Amino acid sequence: MPILPPDARFDRGPFDAADPSARTPIDAVPPSRLQLPPGPWTSLLDGVCARFPAIGRERWRERFERGRVLDARDAQPLRADAPYRAGLEILYFREVEREPQIPFAERIVHADERLLVVDKPHFLPVAPAGRFVAETLLGRLQRRFGEPALAPLHRLDAATAGLVLFSRERASRGAYQALFRERRIGKRYLALAPPLPALAFPQVRRSRIEAGEPFFLMREVAGEANSETNIEVVARQEEVWTYALQPITGRKHQLRVHMAALGAPILGDRFYPLQPQAEEDFAQPLKLLAQSLRFVDPLDGRERWFESGLAL
């Protein structure tokens, strides 16, 4: 996995003058769009504070003062005390204080007018969430290609490396999204995990997976199965086997939950079983790789097959 040189900063652009060391850069990611819903609020500030209660009122007031909330029609800054109007479309910029830097680079596997196929490194989130905005695969690609409409067609956990498929145009996006929704795309993962000599392979794991505790974990429970994974062994060493995993369904953390339930948690997994959540150790990634994608292109009928260039 290539580590970036110290001066590689992904064209992050100017930072807000208020605190250059603490804020997401101004042009780190394109703005988010919101159509204001009906409501009793008299000012824009009141309305956005009600819509995003986790962000403090003073933080929103500061964003207005710095021109970080715009009218979507002409991209002009809006005032905090402007009248609230249901139906008005606004643009706003997500910001995270002291966003962590991920020191690994993505790699473009394939690019055409409709699709991007990208090798995502370990630790890099696919899309903005929580403490990550600029340091996401989507944010990096939007800046790299200058395409704010770029969108991921599926997700990988931040801890998982490998192939992610992106749509470059809105017109064809629905056709490619249907591949995943209708399970017409073949996905193959590789994982390193402890041996399971008592089990026969290939193995099919079916179970019911639901949200667990803490909130970010999943768990197997009794009931009708809603998840299915085909599991094979492709290499056997004394202490570690290499498994090929083909998820038929796409439940959150499905592969990690299924391997742990079989008694072979994937190496480097800090969730299954749950480990103390200290800072990320870049030297110990989760040994799970989205290794290949295969599908028939819904627009031209060609068989498409993409393979990751990363290794576990």
Side-chain angles (χ1 to χ4, degrees):
M1 182 185 301
I3 297 181
L4 301 179
D7 60 343
R9 309 307 290 177
F10 297 102
D11 189 24
R12 294 175 62 84
F15 282 76
D16 295 340
D19 185 354
S21 67
R23 298 190 184 281
T24 304
I26 288 174
D27 61 355
V29 292
S32 298
R33 182 181 295 263
L34 172 67
Q35 185 174 59
L36 300 181
W41 309 287
T42 57
S43 71
L44 277 178
L45 179 61
D46 290 338
V48 296
C49 287
R51 176 65 178 80
F52 301 101
I55 301 174
R57 187 178 183 85
E58 288 308 308
R59 176 70 61 81
W60 272 116
R61 189 189 303 278
E62 181 196 25
R63 288 186 182 182
F64 276 102
E65 291 174 352
R66 292 186 289 112
R68 307 292 279 146
V69 183
L70 312 174
D71 189 324
R73 297 171 299 181
D74 54 15
Q76 292 301 305
L78 293 165
R79 292 171 53 89
D81 60 359
Y84 185 92
R85 291 193 294 111
L88 175 68
E89 281 197 304
I90 67 171
L91 304 176
Y92 65 94
F93 293 82
R94 290 194 65 210
E95 297 177 340
V96 175
E97 293 188 357
R98 308 196 185 281
E99 183 173 355
Q101 301 293 295
I102 307 299
F104 305 111
E106 71 279 2
R107 184 181 72 91
I108 305 302
V109 174
H110 171 84
D112 60 36
E113 69 277 9
R114 296 190 296 266
L115 298 174
L116 278 179
V117 186
V118 186
D119 252 341
K120 184 189 82 67
H122 291 288
F123 303 105
L124 184 69
V126 170
R131 59 186 182 143
F132 292 98
V133 175
E135 282 295 86
T136 63
L137 184 58
L138 176 61
R140 288 183 180 183
L141 294 174
Q142 286 175 324
R143 297 193 299 278
R144 179 172 178 174
F145 290 94
E147 298 180 19
L150 192 68
L153 292 167
H154 62 120
R155 304 292 177 94
L156 295 182
D157 297 339
T160 304
L163 297 180
V164 183
L165 190 62
F166 285 82
S167 165
R168 305 184 80 171
E169 60 175 22
R170 290 189 175 92
S172 62
R173 187 164 300 158
Y176 290 106
Q177 289 172 330
L179 293 174
F180 293 89
R181 185 173 61 252
E182 298 168 5
R183 301 178 187 172
R184 292 188 285 120
I185 188 162
K187 295 176 285 185
R188 185 176 191 262
Y189 292 71
L190 295 179
L192 300 183
L196 291 169
L199 296 183
F201 290 93
Q203 173 91 201
V204 178
R205 181 72 178 186
R206 298 184 183 93
S207 67
R208 184 165 193 84
I209 295 178
E210 294 183 354
E213 292 291 341
F215 69 93
F216 53 83
L217 295 183
M218 305 299 287
R219 60 174 182 166
E220 289 190 331
V221 299
E224 182 180 359
N226 61 2
S227 65
E228 180 177 345
T229 304
N230 295 332
I231 305 170
E232 297 183 56
V233 179
V234 295
R236 301 173 190 243
Q237 297 180 336
E238 185 174 349
E239 296 184 358
V240 176
W241 285 4
T242 302
Y243 297 86
L245 312 176
Q246 292 182 288
I248 306 304
T249 55
R251 311 297 298 183
K252 178 182 176 181
H253 294 173
Q254 176 177 315
L255 302 182
R256 300 163 71 174
V257 170
H258 278 174
M259 290 300 295
L262 289 174
I266 297 172
L267 300 187
D269 199 336
R270 299 166 63 198
F271 286 0
Y272 305 97
L274 185 62
Q275 306 294 318
Q277 299 300 296
E279 288 296 318
E280 296 280 11
D281 184 351
F282 292 140
Q284 297 187 26
L286 176 70
K287 293 299 185 177
L288 180 62
L289 172 68
Q291 191 258 345
S292 69
L293 292 170
R294 186 188 295 269
F295 59 93
V296 175
D297 194 297
L299 298 188
D300 58 26
R302 287 186 296 161
E303 184 172 359
R304 299 275 201 140
W305 178 70
F306 303 106
E307 189 169 45
S308 172
L310 299 176
L312 285 175

